Amino acid sequence: MQVFKFGGASVKSAENIKNVVSIVEKYRDSSLLVVVSAMGKTTDKLVRITDSYYKQTGEAFDLLESLKQEHFDVLHALFPADHPVFDDIANTFVEIEWILEEEPQDEYEYLFDQIVSVGELLSTKIVAAYSSYMGQPTQWVDARDFILTDNSYREGKVDWEKTEEKIRKELPTILDEYIVVTQGFIGSTTENFTTTLGREGSDYSAAIFAASLNAENITIWKDVPGVLNADPKWFDKTELIPELSYTDAIELTYYGATVIHPKTIKPLQNKKITLNVRSFVNPEEPGTQIKTTNQTLPVPSFIFKVNQVFINIQPRDFSFIVEDNFSHIFDAFHKNRIKINMMHNSAISFSVAVDDTGENVQSLLEQLEKRYKVSVESGLELITIRYYNQQTIDRVLVNKEIIRELKDSYTCQMLVKDKDE
Ligand code: ASP
Ligand code: MG
C-alpha cells in the first residue's frame, strides 16, 4: 500500500482539488491512504479566530464567516447544490460556533487545538466527497480515532504503541475496499480531546500512517518539483536533487529546509520506506526519492533563515558556564517554546540564534535577565550550507558581515548581518 500527502496549497481552490483527485485516480497503483492538510491559509485564519476569541476582541465571528464563505465557494464550484456535503460542512463549522458562543474558560493551548483542528476536518470532507462524486470508492476517516497523543496541546506527543495498534487493527480492511482520505496534523488524547501535532505537522501524520501500515512508499505532493538545493525564493537558479539519503534529509530539515517537516523522516528511515517528494503541478515528473543510499548530495545545499535574533548569555559573576546554568537556560527555552537554530558555548558565555517570534522571545529574555547578563542583536540572517566549500561560502557572503560561524566536516552555519554601506 501507499500513502499520499497533499498540503494546503494543493487543495486551496476547487481547481486544485480537482487536480488532487485526478492524481489520486492516476497514480494509485495499490491500496492508498491519502492525508490532506487544511485548505490554503485556513490554519492561519483559524489561529486568528482562536486569538480573537481568547482575547475577546470581537472579530471572531466575522473571521469565521469569511472562512465559511471561502469553503462554500469551493463547494459550489465542485458539487450540485443538493449534494449532502453542504450540510456536512455547515455542521462542521457549527463545532466552532458552539465554542465561540461561550466565554473562554479553558487554557489557550487547549482552545487552539479544538478550533484549529477543524481546518483539516473540512478539507478532508470536501476531498473525500469529491473523490466519491468522481466515482472512486472513497472512505473519509477521522484521524483522531487512530493518532493517539498525550495532552501536550499544540505539540501532541504521539503514543506510538497505541497508535500503531489501532491503525493495524482497523485500517487494512477499509483500505482493501476504499481509498482512505484522512486528516494530517490532528490527533486525540485517550480521553477523546482533540490535539494537534505542531504547525506544518501533516507530513508527520502521513509518516505515522505509513510506518504503522508498513507502506511500500509515501509521496508528498508539493508545489515545487521535489527537494531543491535551495529555496527558489533565494536563488534564480536551483537544482533538483533526484536522490537523497535519509540522513541528509534529516540534516537539511533540522537546519530549517521547509520542504518536509523535520519529524517525518525518522519513522520512515526505521522502516526503510521510500519517501517521494513530487510536484502536484507536474505529476508525471519523478521528483526526489529519499531512501537508503550512500549517495551524498550531488550539489551543495543552502538554507536561509531570516529574522534571527542572536542572544548572548553570561553569568553575572563571570563564573564559568556550568551544567547548572545550562539546565536552567534550556528550561527557559523549552517553557517559551523557542527552538534553537544555532548554538555556541565558550568558557564564560553561551550564545544562540533563534527565530524572532516576538512575544515568546521577550518573555524568554525577561526570564534569562533575572539571572544572567544578556545581550541581544536582532534582524540577522542564518545561512546553512550542507557540503560547503569556499566558493559556496563566498557566494552567500557578498555584502554580509559574519557574526558567528560554525563548521563541521559537512555543514557550515553562518549568522550574518548586512554590511553597513
Ligand atoms: N494545516 C496545518 C498547518 O498549516 C498542518 C499542515 O499544513 O501541515 O500548520
Ligand atoms: Mg499548512
Side-chain angles (χ1 to χ4, degrees):
M1 65 92 45
Q2 291 174 284
V3 174
F4 282 2
K5 183 263 171 175
F6 291 97
S10 68
V11 289
K12 71 174 182 202
S13 64
E15 207 57 43
N16 283 21
I17 291 173
K18 287 183 183 171
N19 178 50
V20 161
V21 169
S22 78
I23 290 175
V24 165
E25 196 171 17
K26 224 186 288 164
Y27 293 94
R28 78 180 277 226
D29 46 32
S30 59
S31 60
L32 177 65
L33 181 130
V34 182
V35 172
V36 184
S37 304
M39 285 166 52
K41 299 277 169 232
T42 299
T43 305
D44 290 339
K45 290 176 186 166
L46 289 167
V47 172
R48 241 175 286 145
I49 290 171
T50 309
D51 289 353
S52 166
Y53 166 63
Y54 187 71
K55 297 182 187 146
Q56 293 284 291
T57 62
E59 295 142 345
F61 271 107
D62 287 345
L63 292 169
L64 185 66
E65 214 38 58
S66 94
L67 190 63
K68 236 185 192 173
Q69 195 55 53
E70 284 172 26
H71 280 76
F72 276 95
D73 288 346
V74 168
L75 290 184
H76 282 293
L78 293 174
F79 300 97
D82 59 351
H83 194 283
V85 71
F86 284 89
D87 276 347
D88 200 7
I89 294 303
N91 290 336
T92 309
F93 273 108
V94 169
E95 294 189 26
I96 301 183
E97 283 159 17
W98 275 341
I99 299 175
L100 300 189
E101 273 159 18
E102 309 275 328
E103 295 227 327
Q105 308 281 343
D106 297 294
E107 56 162 330
Y108 177 79
E109 321 287 319
Y110 170 81
L111 286 171
F112 181 103
D113 282 0
Q114 308 320 302
I115 295 175
V116 172
S117 56
V118 174
E120 269 70 11
L121 297 176
L122 295 165
S123 64
T124 49
K125 285 181 177 188
I126 298 175
V127 170
Y130 193 69
S131 174
S132 300
Y133 184 59
M134 286 294 105
Q136 309 187 73
T138 310
Q139 175 78 49
W140 180 86
V141 158
D142 192 329
R144 295 171 297 181
D145 293 336
F146 296 95
I147 304 222
L148 300 173
T149 70
D150 67 359
N151 62 358
S152 325
Y153 293 105
R154 288 182 68 190
E155 207 58 67
K157 271 199 206 69
V158 173
D159 181 332
W160 274 90
E161 219 169 289
K162 288 206 184 92
T163 298
E164 286 198 319
E165 193 187 308
K166 266 274 194 179
I167 291 177
R168 283 190 195 145
K169 205 164 130 206
E170 291 175 36
L171 279 185
T173 44
I174 309 178
L175 283 161
D176 280 345
E177 263 184 81
Y178 298 98
I179 297 168
V180 169
V181 175
T182 193
Q183 306 78 45
F185 183 51
I186 72 174
S188 163
T189 66
T190 37
E191 294 86 37
N192 279 327
F193 292 112
T194 304
T195 52
T196 62
L197 309 180
R199 285 303 305 268
E200 306 306 326
S202 295
D203 293 348
Y204 182 43
S205 303
I208 297 168
F209 281 111
S212 304
L213 291 163
N214 288 314
E216 278 142 50
N217 60 63
I218 156 172
T219 303
I220 296 184
W221 296 91
K222 307 235 5 149
D223 55 2
V224 287
V227 179
L228 304 172
N229 75 323
D231 189 324
K233 207 161 63 187
W234 305 108
F235 284 160
D236 295 338
K237 263 184 75 188
T238 53
E239 283 180 60
L240 176 73
I241 301 166
E243 214 177 274
L244 191 63
S245 68
Y246 293 113
T247 312
D248 274 333
I250 289 171
E251 291 285 335
L252 291 175
T253 56
Y254 170 80
Y255 286 112
T258 53
V259 59
I260 311 156
H261 189 279
K263 283 187 184 166
T264 311
I265 303 172
K266 198 66 202 153
L268 301 175
Q269 181 178 29
N270 293 348
K271 293 274 173 84
K272 299 202 167 24
I273 298 170
T274 300
L275 167 59
N276 305 299
V277 181
R278 294 174 66 177
S279 159
F280 65 74
V281 187
N282 294 305
E284 59 299 327
E285 297 291 325
T288 298
Q289 281 199 338
I290 301 171
K291 57 183 185 187
T292 311
T293 160
N294 296 325
Q295 194 85 40
T296 55
L297 288 177
V299 286
S301 283
F302 298 83
I303 299 150
F304 295 87
K305 274 175 161 285
V306 293
N307 207 13
Q308 300 294 298
V309 207
F310 181 62
I311 305 173
N312 190 283
I313 304 161
Q314 294 186 338
R316 288 197 182 281
D317 55 5
F318 286 94
S319 64
F320 292 115
I321 287 265
V322 290
E323 283 71 12
D324 170 42
N325 288 325
F326 278 130
S327 70
H328 177 254
I329 292 169
F330 282 117
D331 188 53
F333 279 92
H334 179 68
K335 287 218 172 87
N336 290 289
R337 296 169 172 269
I338 294 175
K339 188 180 161 283
I340 296 173
N341 296 329
M342 175 193 211
M343 66 180 157
H344 177 257
N345 72 304
S346 73
I348 54 154
S349 79
F350 175 68
S351 53
V352 299
V354 303
D355 293 346
D356 197 349
T357 47
E359 268 175 47
N360 293 20
V361 172
Q362 276 322 314
S363 133
L364 168 81
L365 293 174
E366 277 162 30
Q367 233 163 302
L368 291 174
E369 275 160 1
K370 287 190 191 140
R371 206 159 137 178
Y372 309 97
K373 199 168 150 246
V374 181
S375 66
V376 180
E377 184 167 0
S378 55
L380 307 176
E381 191 178 332
L382 181 63
I383 306 174
T384 305
I385 312 176
R386 179 106 174 131
Y387 300 118
Y388 64 92
N389 54 32
Q390 195 52 45
Q391 195 194 343
T392 53
I393 292 178
D394 294 343
R395 174 174 179 192
V396 295
L397 285 183
V398 178
N399 291 327
K400 304 280 183 196
E401 184 183 320
I402 298 185
I403 291 176
R404 183 72 87 204
E405 180 183 54
L406 290 181
K407 279 181 184 165
D408 65 23
S409 350
Y410 300 119
T411 306
C412 168
Q413 271 192 304
M414 292 172 288
L415 188 65
V416 303
K417 68 172 179 187
D418 290 341
K419 264 193 194 145
D420 298 330
E421 293 296 293

